[in-house]
Amino acid sequence: SWRILPKDFLELKSSVENFNNIEGIISENIDKTHSISSLPVLNEDVRQNIKKISFLLNNLFLDDCIKNSVKNWNIFKRGWDEELDKCLDVIDNIDTTKQKYLESVNKDTWLVFSIYETINWWYLSINNKKLPKNKAFAEDWRETKSTTVYQRYETKELNKIFTNFIFAKRNRDIIEYNLFKRLRLKLVSFLSEFRIINNYVSYLDYLLSWALLIINNKWVLPDIHNGDEVMIIKWRHPMLEMVIG
């Protein structure tokens, strides 16, 4: 269970959501006179627990989230952890925050700055051709990473925005990982229900495989009656037909 990844829960979510449909398809396509010994009986407790699992998975994970490893987060919905929600507010609103800061800078300087982003830092940037000669800026502006084309500056406010953004992303990953571990421990108590879901999904896959074989090879089921007459027309064993080709 410790090797379980977020994507495993997301795949499980699909099976749990469709469990009622899976059970219905199996029930409709099985002869009522024959019991299926490989499938467990679903009592009310089992059904209630499957509903609990479905509720948990549906309300925890983002609908369009598909992740490949525990290193890729941003998978949980809001409302499960207050600190996580604060981090998501910073991350989701970062473009608006940067735009507001740029608007204030451009208004104060009467120039048109943009934000030059690197992995490690963000800088205010302006084309040298648009920069008046001997233009002085606030004392906390420090020129750095400039080129022959662009003049770039570090500023206290932009540094603060960048630091808050990076901290929010890192903190989100930590909080979501801890949430994921708690969820993993919670779902361990439903192992018997997971086995039942797996059995039903596997049996549906078995039925589907047989159905595709029958359709693709045009197999038919003989009519059986209580009389003495046996009539066979163009009969061949289906498996023999597949071997011979």
Side-chain angles (χ1 to χ4, degrees):
S1 63
W2 303 114
R3 296 178 182 176
I4 294 174
L5 301 177
K7 70 180 182 68
D8 298 318
F9 283 147
L10 296 169
E11 291 168 359
L12 174 64
K13 174 184 172 184
S14 176
S15 297
V16 173
E17 283 178 341
N18 293 291
F19 182 75
N20 288 336
N21 293 333
I22 293 171
E23 183 193 3
I25 291 171
I26 292 175
S27 300
E28 291 173 5
N29 290 276
I30 294 298
D31 189 341
K32 302 299 182 183
T33 61
H34 296 84
S35 61
I36 309 170
S37 58
S38 61
L39 292 181
V41 177
L42 298 177
N43 58 39
E44 189 58 31
D45 288 340
V46 170
R47 292 183 186 279
Q48 289 301 320
N49 284 339
I50 291 176
K51 286 182 180 178
K52 289 178 184 177
I53 297 171
S54 180
F55 176 83
L56 197 60
L57 295 178
N58 280 324
N59 288 277
L60 261 177
F61 292 115
L62 295 169
D63 295 333
D64 58 350
C65 173
I66 300 175
K67 299 299 176 183
N68 295 320
S69 75
V70 291
K71 294 180 180 178
N72 298 320
W73 293 106
N74 190 26
I75 63 175
F76 289 100
K77 291 182 178 179
R78 292 174 178 268
W80 291 91
D81 186 279
E82 186 177 347
E83 287 301 314
L84 175 60
D85 289 349
K86 290 179 181 178
C87 293
L88 293 177
D89 285 339
V90 174
I91 296 168
D92 293 345
N93 295 317
I94 189 61
D95 289 337
T96 303
T97 303
K98 289 190 293 185
Q99 186 60 38
K100 286 182 178 179
Y101 175 64
L102 272 180
E103 289 173 358
S104 66
V105 168
N106 293 335
K107 181 180 178 182
D108 292 340
T109 60
W110 295 94
L111 297 170
V112 182
F113 280 90
S114 60
I115 294 179
Y116 173 70
E117 300 182 15
T118 68
I119 296 175
N120 299 317
W121 215 246
W122 292 346
Y123 308 91
L124 276 178
S125 179
I126 188 170
N127 192 307
N128 284 336
K129 293 180 180 179
K130 299 179 180 179
L131 184 64
K133 291 182 179 180
N134 302 320
K135 174 68 177 177
F137 298 109
E139 292 183 359
D140 68 323
W141 287 34
R142 186 172 72 87
E143 184 182 346
T144 182
K145 302 289 183 182
S146 294
T147 68
T148 56
V149 180
Y150 292 99
Q151 201 87 348
R152 293 179 180 137
Y153 301 87
E154 284 186 23
T155 75
K156 239 179 221 184
E157 187 63 28
L158 188 56
N159 291 352
K160 181 180 178 182
I161 293 172
F162 175 79
T163 303
N164 288 343
F165 176 65
I166 294 300
F167 175 80
K169 288 183 71 175
R170 290 176 179 171
N171 205 29
R172 176 203 65 190
D173 293 351
I174 293 170
I175 294 171
E176 288 207 347
Y177 179 62
N178 289 330
L179 274 175
F180 177 72
K181 289 195 296 184
R182 283 161 50 193
L183 173 64
R184 192 165 54 187
L185 288 172
K186 173 69 175 176
L187 291 179
V188 166
S189 62
F190 295 114
L191 283 179
S192 60
E193 281 75 16
F194 292 147
R195 293 191 184 99
I196 290 173
I197 294 170
N198 180 66
N199 286 341
Y200 273 80
V201 172
S202 300
Y203 198 84
L204 180 60
D205 182 58
Y206 159 78
L207 290 179
L208 179 60
S209 299
W210 269 110
L212 291 174
L213 274 174
I214 292 169
I215 293 171
N216 293 335
N217 295 284
K218 300 179 180 179
W219 293 353
V220 294
L221 182 68
D223 293 325
I224 306 298
H225 58 82
N226 294 324
D228 298 327
E229 182 182 5
V230 176
M231 182 179 293
I232 300 176
I233 302 174
K234 295 182 179 181
W235 177 87
R236 287 177 73 95
H237 193 286
M239 299 307 295
L240 178 62
E241 192 74 32
M242 291 184 66
V243 173
I244 297 175

XYZ file of all heavy atoms in Angstrom, residues 23-103:
666
model
N -22.200 -3.473 -11.712
C -23.021 -4.517 -11.078
C -24.282 -4.773 -11.897
O -24.704 -5.920 -12.089
C -23.390 -4.097 -9.658
C -24.193 -5.158 -8.906
C -24.812 -4.633 -7.628
O -24.672 -3.426 -7.334
O -25.460 -5.443 -6.930
N -24.901 -3.686 -12.395
C -26.128 -3.834 -13.180
C -25.899 -4.589 -14.481
O -26.701 -5.450 -14.859
N -24.807 -4.288 -15.163
C -24.497 -4.970 -16.432
C -24.281 -6.459 -16.197
O -24.776 -7.305 -16.956
C -23.244 -4.340 -17.075
C -23.552 -2.924 -17.549
C -22.753 -5.193 -18.250
C -22.339 -2.150 -17.990
N -23.550 -6.792 -15.140
C -23.304 -8.206 -14.827
C -24.608 -8.911 -14.503
O -24.877 -10.018 -14.983
C -22.303 -8.335 -13.657
C -20.922 -7.849 -14.110
C -22.232 -9.774 -13.166
C -19.890 -7.814 -13.009
N -25.450 -8.273 -13.695
C -26.725 -8.893 -13.296
C -27.637 -9.125 -14.494
O -28.321 -10.152 -14.594
C -27.442 -8.009 -12.270
O -26.652 -7.846 -11.118
N -27.642 -8.184 -15.428
C -28.522 -8.293 -16.595
C -28.067 -9.362 -17.582
O -28.874 -9.897 -18.342
C -28.598 -6.946 -17.316
C -29.342 -5.876 -16.531
C -29.255 -4.517 -17.200
O -28.695 -4.452 -18.324
O -29.730 -3.531 -16.612
N -26.785 -9.652 -17.585
C -26.250 -10.542 -18.603
C -25.875 -11.925 -18.091
O -25.241 -12.699 -18.800
C -25.021 -9.903 -19.254
C -25.382 -8.707 -20.113
O -25.745 -8.864 -21.265
N -25.291 -7.515 -19.531
N -26.283 -12.232 -16.879
C -26.009 -13.547 -16.322
C -27.316 -14.305 -16.139
O -28.318 -13.768 -15.680
C -25.288 -13.424 -14.957
C -23.896 -12.812 -15.165
C -25.170 -14.767 -14.282
C -22.983 -13.636 -16.036
N -27.301 -15.558 -16.509
C -28.475 -16.424 -16.352
C -28.817 -16.516 -14.869
O -27.980 -16.908 -14.050
C -28.160 -17.813 -16.915
C -29.401 -18.694 -16.972
O -30.380 -18.381 -16.269
O -29.369 -19.684 -17.701
N -30.044 -16.162 -14.516
C -30.448 -16.138 -13.105
C -30.406 -17.518 -12.455
O -30.342 -17.637 -11.235
C -31.868 -15.568 -12.978
C -32.028 -14.156 -13.558
C -31.153 -13.148 -12.883
C -31.367 -11.735 -13.442
N -30.472 -10.761 -12.840
N -30.428 -18.555 -13.254
C -30.427 -19.910 -12.687
C -29.025 -20.359 -12.299
O -28.845 -21.401 -11.674
C -31.005 -20.910 -13.709
O -30.194 -20.900 -14.885
C -32.425 -20.548 -14.060
N -28.010 -19.588 -12.698
C -26.631 -19.960 -12.377
C -26.021 -18.902 -11.454
O -26.037 -17.726 -11.772
C -25.783 -20.075 -13.649
C -26.227 -21.164 -14.559
N -27.235 -21.003 -15.467
C -25.791 -22.442 -14.680
C -27.420 -22.129 -16.147
N -26.550 -23.017 -15.682
N -25.498 -19.356 -10.348
C -24.854 -18.420 -9.426
C -23.399 -18.213 -9.838
O -22.797 -19.065 -10.492
C -24.896 -18.974 -7.992
O -24.188 -20.200 -7.922
N -22.853 -17.062 -9.464
C -21.460 -16.763 -9.781
C -20.662 -16.886 -8.485
O -20.629 -15.978 -7.664
C -21.323 -15.341 -10.351
C -22.295 -15.127 -11.491
C -19.909 -15.092 -10.825
C -22.384 -13.690 -11.939
N -20.029 -18.021 -8.305
C -19.346 -18.284 -7.039
C -18.152 -17.362 -6.827
O -17.741 -17.104 -5.701
C -18.874 -19.742 -6.993
O -18.012 -20.014 -8.092
N -17.578 -16.840 -7.921
C -16.388 -15.996 -7.780
C -16.717 -14.586 -7.305
O -15.827 -13.851 -6.879
C -15.648 -15.917 -9.115
O -16.474 -15.335 -10.100
N -17.980 -14.185 -7.400
C -18.363 -12.835 -6.990
C -19.012 -12.854 -5.614
O -19.944 -13.611 -5.379
C -19.332 -12.229 -8.006
C -18.749 -11.925 -9.388
C -19.809 -11.305 -10.274
C -17.549 -11.006 -9.287
N -18.533 -12.001 -4.710
C -19.095 -11.964 -3.357
C -20.488 -11.327 -3.353
O -20.823 -10.518 -4.216
C -18.098 -11.105 -2.577
C -17.466 -10.248 -3.616
C -17.420 -11.049 -4.868
N -21.268 -11.702 -2.361
C -22.601 -11.134 -2.202
C -22.457 -9.731 -1.609
O -21.675 -9.492 -0.693
C -23.457 -12.011 -1.267
C -24.823 -11.369 -1.053
C -23.597 -13.406 -1.844
N -23.231 -8.789 -2.143
C -23.163 -7.415 -1.663
C -24.238 -7.171 -0.619
O -25.414 -7.017 -0.951
C -23.343 -6.442 -2.830
C -22.283 -6.515 -3.935
C -22.625 -5.549 -5.053
C -20.908 -6.195 -3.379
N -23.835 -7.141 0.659
C -24.806 -6.807 1.696
C -24.867 -5.293 1.884
O -24.126 -4.541 1.257
C -24.457 -7.521 3.016
C -23.058 -7.161 3.502
O -22.635 -6.016 3.399
N -22.340 -8.149 4.027
N -25.738 -4.838 2.758
C -25.957 -3.407 2.924
C -24.719 -2.696 3.464
O -24.422 -1.562 3.069
C -27.143 -3.168 3.871
C -27.602 -1.717 3.952
C -27.998 -1.152 2.589
O -28.480 -1.916 1.721
O -27.810 0.071 2.398
N -23.969 -3.348 4.355
C -22.758 -2.729 4.907
C -21.731 -2.468 3.810
O -21.095 -1.405 3.782
C -22.149 -3.634 5.986
C -22.981 -3.658 7.259
O -23.792 -2.715 7.448
O -22.836 -4.598 8.054
N -21.576 -3.444 2.923
C -20.618 -3.299 1.829
C -21.034 -2.157 0.919
O -20.217 -1.322 0.508
C -20.499 -4.607 1.022
C -19.692 -4.383 -0.259
C -19.852 -5.687 1.868
N -22.325 -2.092 0.600
C -22.816 -1.019 -0.276
C -22.602 0.359 0.362
O -22.227 1.313 -0.324
C -24.298 -1.229 -0.577
C -24.583 -2.456 -1.432
C -26.063 -2.561 -1.759
N -26.358 -3.788 -2.459
C -26.181 -3.984 -3.767
N -25.714 -2.990 -4.509
N -26.466 -5.125 -4.331
N -22.826 0.471 1.650
C -22.635 1.739 2.342
C -21.163 2.146 2.358
O -20.822 3.325 2.173
C -23.167 1.649 3.783
C -24.681 1.596 3.887
C -25.340 2.825 3.268
O -24.871 3.954 3.405
N -26.443 2.600 2.581
N -20.282 1.165 2.544
C -18.849 1.461 2.549
C -18.364 1.896 1.165
O -17.506 2.781 1.045
C -18.054 0.248 3.025
C -18.147 0.054 4.530
O -18.462 0.998 5.269
N -17.887 -1.150 4.994
N -18.898 1.286 0.125
C -18.533 1.688 -1.236
C -19.005 3.114 -1.497
O -18.316 3.906 -2.156
C -19.118 0.697 -2.265
C -18.400 -0.646 -2.149
C -18.986 1.245 -3.686
C -18.952 -1.733 -3.050
N -20.175 3.469 -0.964
C -20.657 4.851 -1.090
C -19.729 5.824 -0.363
O -19.464 6.936 -0.846
C -22.076 4.963 -0.533
C -23.152 4.344 -1.421
C -24.525 4.533 -0.812
C -25.606 3.919 -1.698
N -26.961 4.066 -1.090
N -19.221 5.404 0.805
C -18.297 6.254 1.559
C -17.009 6.483 0.766
O -16.480 7.594 0.726
C -17.970 5.604 2.913
C -19.117 5.603 3.906
C -18.713 4.887 5.187
C -19.888 4.803 6.162
N -19.522 4.051 7.394
N -16.503 5.405 0.159
C -15.282 5.523 -0.651
C -15.523 6.476 -1.809
O -14.699 7.339 -2.111
C -14.855 4.136 -1.182
C -14.503 3.207 -0.024
C -13.672 4.269 -2.129
C -14.290 1.762 -0.436
N -16.669 6.310 -2.473
C -16.996 7.160 -3.621
C -17.091 8.625 -3.200
O -16.570 9.511 -3.885
C -18.325 6.705 -4.235
O -18.666 7.504 -5.337
N -17.746 8.886 -2.071
C -17.881 10.259 -1.571
C -16.511 10.858 -1.280
O -16.224 12.011 -1.638
C -18.732 10.273 -0.303
C -18.845 11.625 0.337
C -19.776 12.548 -0.123
C -18.010 11.981 1.394
C -19.866 13.812 0.464
C -18.095 13.232 1.980
C -19.031 14.151 1.515
N -15.649 10.065 -0.652
C -14.319 10.532 -0.274
C -13.498 10.891 -1.505
O -12.914 11.976 -1.594
C -13.610 9.442 0.532
C -12.389 9.846 1.355
C -12.770 10.893 2.385
C -11.790 8.627 2.034
N -13.472 10.005 -2.485
C -12.657 10.226 -3.684
C -13.218 11.358 -4.546
O -12.462 12.140 -5.128
C -12.568 8.938 -4.501
C -11.841 7.770 -3.823
C -11.876 6.539 -4.712
C -10.399 8.134 -3.494
N -14.541 11.458 -4.635
C -15.162 12.502 -5.452
C -14.949 13.891 -4.875
O -14.838 14.870 -5.612
C -16.659 12.243 -5.609
C -16.953 11.213 -6.670
O -16.276 11.153 -7.683
N -17.946 10.382 -6.443
N -14.927 13.977 -3.550
C -14.827 15.285 -2.909
C -13.399 15.695 -2.581
O -13.153 16.834 -2.200
C -15.669 15.298 -1.625
C -17.151 15.323 -1.914
O -17.728 16.369 -2.166
N -17.783 14.162 -1.903
N -12.461 14.762 -2.739
C -11.065 15.070 -2.461
C -10.322 15.558 -3.689
O -9.653 16.586 -3.671
C -10.353 13.827 -1.905
C -10.183 13.752 -0.391
C -9.529 12.439 -0.010
C -9.342 14.907 0.124
N -10.440 14.816 -4.780
C -9.587 15.069 -5.939
C -10.227 16.004 -6.950
O -11.435 15.992 -7.159
C -9.247 13.753 -6.641
C -8.363 12.847 -5.832
C -8.810 11.626 -5.387
C -7.079 13.248 -5.504
C -7.999 10.797 -4.641
C -6.254 12.434 -4.758
C -6.708 11.199 -4.319
N -9.381 16.784 -7.612
C -9.832 17.606 -8.722
C -10.282 16.707 -9.865
O -9.690 15.658 -10.115
C -8.692 18.505 -9.207
C -8.201 19.559 -8.207
C -6.914 20.192 -8.712
C -9.257 20.613 -7.969
N -11.349 17.114 -10.575
C -11.934 16.270 -11.606
C -10.992 15.994 -12.769
O -10.988 14.908 -13.332
C -13.223 16.920 -12.145
C -14.298 17.008 -11.076
O -14.266 16.168 -10.156
O -15.139 17.911 -11.141
N -10.194 16.998 -13.161
C -9.344 16.845 -14.340
C -7.897 16.546 -13.976
O -6.980 16.777 -14.749
C -9.388 18.110 -15.206
C -8.940 19.340 -14.418
O -8.800 19.228 -13.185
O -8.719 20.391 -15.037
N -7.709 16.016 -12.755
C -6.349 15.795 -12.298
C -5.873 14.388 -12.633
O -6.476 13.409 -12.241
C -6.279 16.007 -10.793
S -4.715 15.575 -10.098
N -4.789 14.291 -13.411
C -4.164 13.005 -13.702
C -2.669 13.181 -13.455
O -1.991 13.886 -14.176
C -4.406 12.565 -15.151
C -5.909 12.424 -15.405
C -3.696 11.254 -15.438
C -6.237 12.104 -16.838
N -2.168 12.498 -12.432
C -0.763 12.643 -12.068
C -0.042 11.303 -12.177
O -0.631 10.245 -12.002
C -0.631 13.167 -10.642
C -1.272 14.528 -10.447
C -0.616 15.569 -11.326
C -1.311 16.904 -11.226
N -0.739 17.908 -12.115
N 1.257 11.366 -12.430
C 2.039 10.158 -12.636
C 2.905 9.771 -11.458
O 3.400 8.651 -11.408
C 2.940 10.330 -13.871
C 2.121 10.477 -15.131
O 1.130 9.793 -15.289
N 2.535 11.364 -16.017
N 3.148 10.674 -10.533
C 3.976 10.329 -9.381
C 3.638 11.248 -8.227
O 2.955 12.249 -8.382
C 5.460 10.469 -9.718
O 5.824 11.827 -9.760
N 4.162 10.895 -7.038
C 3.880 11.711 -5.854
C 4.617 13.043 -5.925
O 4.393 13.908 -5.092
C 4.294 10.971 -4.564
C 3.406 9.796 -4.314
C 5.747 10.539 -4.626
N 5.493 13.236 -6.905
C 6.208 14.496 -7.026
C 5.361 15.554 -7.728
O 5.675 16.736 -7.688
C 7.517 14.288 -7.785
C 8.520 13.411 -7.028
C 9.799 13.234 -7.829
C 10.782 12.352 -7.074
N 12.021 12.134 -7.860
N 4.317 15.131 -8.411
C 3.445 16.076 -9.117
C 2.158 16.247 -8.333
O 1.308 15.373 -8.358
C 3.119 15.546 -10.518
C 4.358 15.405 -11.366
O 5.237 16.252 -11.321
N 4.439 14.339 -12.131
N 2.019 17.407 -7.657
C 0.854 17.574 -6.804
C -0.191 18.460 -7.443
O -0.418 18.407 -8.622
C 1.298 18.076 -5.427
C 2.080 17.026 -4.718
C 3.419 16.995 -4.511
C 1.577 15.798 -4.169
N 3.776 15.842 -3.858
C 2.669 15.078 -3.630
C 0.313 15.222 -4.070
C 2.542 13.840 -3.012
C 0.186 13.990 -3.449
C 1.283 13.315 -2.930
N -0.847 19.265 -6.660
C -2.010 20.039 -7.111
C -3.131 19.099 -7.539
O -3.636 19.150 -8.654
C -1.642 20.984 -8.260
C -2.757 21.961 -8.566
O -3.564 22.284 -7.693
N -2.826 22.424 -9.796
N -3.518 18.200 -6.633
C -4.530 17.187 -6.947
C -5.780 17.295 -6.063
O -6.798 16.694 -6.387
C -3.963 15.757 -6.824
C -3.532 15.460 -5.386
C -2.810 15.557 -7.791
C -3.085 14.034 -5.162
N -5.696 18.043 -4.953
C -6.800 18.078 -4.006
C -7.691 19.303 -4.213
O -7.216 20.384 -4.560
C -6.282 18.078 -2.568
C -5.697 16.769 -2.134
C -4.322 16.575 -2.114
C -6.520 15.722 -1.763
C -3.788 15.367 -1.720
C -5.990 14.512 -1.368
C -4.610 14.328 -1.345
N -8.969 19.107 -3.965
C -9.913 20.219 -4.013
C -9.749 21.095 -2.769
O -9.138 20.697 -1.781
C -11.349 19.684 -4.077
C -11.702 18.998 -5.387
C -13.149 18.534 -5.383
C -13.522 17.887 -6.703
N -14.923 17.409 -6.717
N -10.342 22.261 -2.839
C -10.319 23.175 -1.694
C -11.272 22.681 -0.594
O -12.181 21.923 -0.860
C -10.718 24.577 -2.129
C -9.704 25.263 -3.044
C -10.261 26.579 -3.542
N -9.311 27.288 -4.376
C -8.441 28.180 -3.921
N -8.423 28.479 -2.630
N -7.601 28.782 -4.737
N -11.019 23.185 0.619
C -11.942 22.916 1.712
C -11.501 21.837 2.675
O -12.164 21.601 3.685
N -10.355 21.177 2.399
C -9.900 20.097 3.276
C -8.850 20.563 4.275
O -8.638 19.931 5.301
C -9.340 18.947 2.440
C -10.394 18.237 1.669
C -10.821 18.513 0.403
C -11.214 17.162 2.121
N -11.841 17.667 0.031
C -12.100 16.821 1.075
C -11.276 16.429 3.310
C -13.037 15.807 1.179
C -12.206 15.401 3.413
C -13.069 15.109 2.361
N -8.175 21.651 3.943
C -7.130 22.143 4.838
C -7.018 23.658 4.645
O -6.833 24.133 3.524
C -5.795 21.460 4.513
C -4.716 21.826 5.507
O -4.118 22.919 5.364
O -4.450 21.028 6.427
N -7.118 24.402 5.734
C -7.122 25.869 5.656
C -5.808 26.401 5.101
O -5.786 27.327 4.277
C -7.390 26.453 7.044
C -7.560 27.958 7.040
C -7.910 28.507 8.418
O -8.268 27.703 9.312
O -7.811 29.737 8.600
N -4.684 25.821 5.548
C -3.377 26.272 5.068
C -3.202 25.973 3.587
O -2.606 26.760 2.848
C -2.260 25.604 5.881
C -2.108 26.133 7.289
C -1.821 27.636 7.307
O -0.957 28.075 6.527
O -2.467 28.355 8.091
N -3.723 24.833 3.156
C -3.651 24.485 1.737
C -4.440 25.496 0.907
O -3.983 25.931 -0.153
C -4.194 23.068 1.508
C -4.288 22.613 0.048
C -2.918 22.636 -0.617
C -4.904 21.215 -0.040
N -5.617 25.887 1.393
C -6.439 26.863 0.667
C -5.711 28.208 0.533
O -5.799 28.869 -0.507
C -7.778 27.059 1.380
C -8.686 25.847 1.241
O -8.357 24.960 0.429
O -9.707 25.775 1.942
N -4.988 28.607 1.579
C -4.228 29.858 1.519
C -3.134 29.769 0.448
O -2.899 30.723 -0.301
C -3.607 30.166 2.881
C -4.618 30.555 3.954
C -3.917 30.815 5.287
C -4.925 31.179 6.370
N -4.259 31.377 7.688
N -2.464 28.634 0.398
C -1.423 28.434 -0.624
C -2.019 28.475 -2.019
O -1.452 29.094 -2.942
C -0.715 27.094 -0.399
S 0.264 27.015 1.112
N -3.171 27.841 -2.191
C -3.817 27.819 -3.509
C -4.275 29.208 -3.924
O -4.253 29.545 -5.120
C -5.000 26.851 -3.481
C -4.653 25.367 -3.310
C -5.919 24.525 -3.222
C -3.770 24.872 -4.448
N -4.674 30.034 -2.944
C -5.062 31.421 -3.253
C -3.883 32.177 -3.858
O -4.029 32.901 -4.849
C -5.547 32.134 -1.995
C -6.940 31.691 -1.565
O -7.668 31.171 -2.420
O -7.281 31.862 -0.379
N -2.702 32.024 -3.244
C -1.505 32.705 -3.745
C -1.146 32.214 -5.145
O -0.871 33.003 -6.054
C -0.310 32.485 -2.787
C 0.972 33.058 -3.388
C -0.596 33.104 -1.425
N -1.169 30.891 -5.331
C -0.779 30.295 -6.612
C -1.771 30.652 -7.712
O -1.379 31.063 -8.815
C -0.672 28.760 -6.467
C 0.451 28.405 -5.495
C -0.427 28.105 -7.830
C 0.461 26.955 -5.070
N -3.051 30.516 -7.428
C -4.079 30.763 -8.448
C -4.162 32.231 -8.854
O -4.561 32.546 -9.979
C -5.449 30.287 -7.945
C -5.521 28.775 -7.789
O -4.639 28.085 -8.331
O -6.450 28.285 -7.112
N -3.808 33.133 -7.923
C -3.949 34.571 -8.192
C -2.626 35.244 -8.556
O -2.550 36.470 -8.591
C -4.552 35.273 -6.969
C -5.967 34.809 -6.685
O -6.769 34.661 -7.599
N -6.268 34.572 -5.425
N -1.586 34.433 -8.838
C -0.266 35.016 -9.057
C -0.241 35.927 -10.286
O 0.406 36.983 -10.273
C 0.821 33.918 -9.163
C 2.215 34.547 -9.164
C 0.600 33.047 -10.379
C 2.534 35.311 -7.920
N -0.929 35.555 -11.345
C -0.939 36.399 -12.551
C -1.591 37.750 -12.271
O -1.109 38.794 -12.735
C -1.674 35.692 -13.698
C -0.883 34.521 -14.249
O 0.348 34.508 -14.072
O -1.495 33.610 -14.842
N -2.681 37.728 -11.513
C -3.354 38.977 -11.142
C -2.457 39.836 -10.258
O -2.384 41.060 -10.422
C -4.670 38.668 -10.405
O -5.497 37.858 -11.232
C -5.398 39.944 -10.042
N -1.758 39.184 -9.317
C -0.857 39.904 -8.413
C 0.268 40.579 -9.188
O 0.598 41.754 -8.952
C -0.258 38.935 -7.376
O -1.322 38.285 -6.661
C 0.634 39.674 -6.387
N 0.864 39.845 -10.142
C 1.948 40.421 -10.956
C 1.437 41.574 -11.815
O 2.101 42.602 -11.954
C 2.561 39.330 -11.839
C 3.384 38.311 -11.068
C 4.169 37.407 -12.006
C 3.270 36.518 -12.823
N 4.043 35.560 -13.646
N 0.244 41.402 -12.366
C -0.318 42.439 -13.227
C -0.590 43.717 -12.444
O -0.305 44.830 -12.919
C -1.608 41.928 -13.880
C -2.215 42.860 -14.906
C -1.269 43.143 -16.058
O -0.546 42.268 -16.498
N -1.273 44.380 -16.534
N -1.128 43.579 -11.238
C -1.395 44.752 -10.401
C -0.095 45.471 -10.048
O -0.032 46.718 -10.031
C -2.133 44.339 -9.127
C -3.599 43.992 -9.351
C -4.267 43.637 -8.029
C -5.754 43.338 -8.251
N -6.424 42.967 -6.981
N 0.932 44.709 -9.748
C 2.222 45.318 -9.415
C 2.788 46.065 -10.622
O 3.275 47.198 -10.488
C 3.202 44.254 -8.942
C 4.587 44.795 -8.706
C 4.820 45.742 -7.705
C 5.653 44.384 -9.496
C 6.089 46.264 -7.494
C 6.918 44.901 -9.289
C 7.137 45.844 -8.296
O 8.382 46.358 -8.098
N 2.714 45.442 -11.797
C 3.201 46.097 -13.010
C 2.450 47.390 -13.288
O 3.045 48.408 -13.672
C 3.056 45.156 -14.214
C 4.220 44.202 -14.501
C 3.912 43.359 -15.717
C 5.514 44.969 -14.701
N 1.139 47.354 -13.100
C 0.330 48.553 -13.332
C 0.752 49.688 -12.415
O 0.832 50.859 -12.827
C -1.157 48.229 -13.133
C -1.745 47.360 -14.243
C -3.162 46.913 -13.941
O -3.672 47.254 -12.844
O -3.760 46.221 -14.784
